[in-house]
């Protein structure tokens, strides 16, 4: 665990944003409206994908999977069609 934390720390991970344009699949970027850092991140990387959409879940913080599972599932289903 200690090794993983040292290697996988964001400051040590390779920057992959320059390769996001290689992703050809339709991409959904979801963030909770109360998590300003992730809202900003989603909006800043959206233009790097060929086919991406940002969806912001209202009244949601850092973990939409726990806070708004139904709404998140609906967004994923909508994006998959």
């Amino acid at each position: 665990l200690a090794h993983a934390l040292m290697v996988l720390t964001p400051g040590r991970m390779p920057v992959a944003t320059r390769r996001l344009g290689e992703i050809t699949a339709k991409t959904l970027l979801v963030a909770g409206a109360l998590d300003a850092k992730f809202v900003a991140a989603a909006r800043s990387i959206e233009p790097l994908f060929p086919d991406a959409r940002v969806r912001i879940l209202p009244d949601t913080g850092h973990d939409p999977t726990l806070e708004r599972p139904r709404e998140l599932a609906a967004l994923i289903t909508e994006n998959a069609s």
Side-chain angles (χ1 to χ4, degrees):
L1 177 62
H3 177 72
L5 290 173
M6 288 175 50
V7 174
L8 299 176
T9 299
R12 293 184 176 224
M13 293 173 59
V15 176
T17 52
R18 66 180 167 269
R19 299 197 61 203
L20 295 178
E22 298 173 25
I23 297 173
T24 58
K26 189 159 74 167
T27 304
L28 177 63
L29 304 168
V30 179
L34 303 176
D35 190 344
K37 181 178 177 180
F38 276 71
V39 169
R43 288 184 173 145
S44 71
I45 65 171
E46 179 185 21
L48 303 177
F49 291 89
D51 186 12
R53 286 186 238 176
V54 172
R55 295 294 180 262
I56 307 301
L57 287 172
D59 301 316
T60 306
H62 183 70
D63 196 346
T65 60
L66 294 176
E67 298 173 52
R68 302 268 187 230
R70 288 189 177 126
E71 292 89 341
L72 179 60
L75 286 176
I76 293 169
T77 300
E78 175 189 313
N79 193 67
S81 57

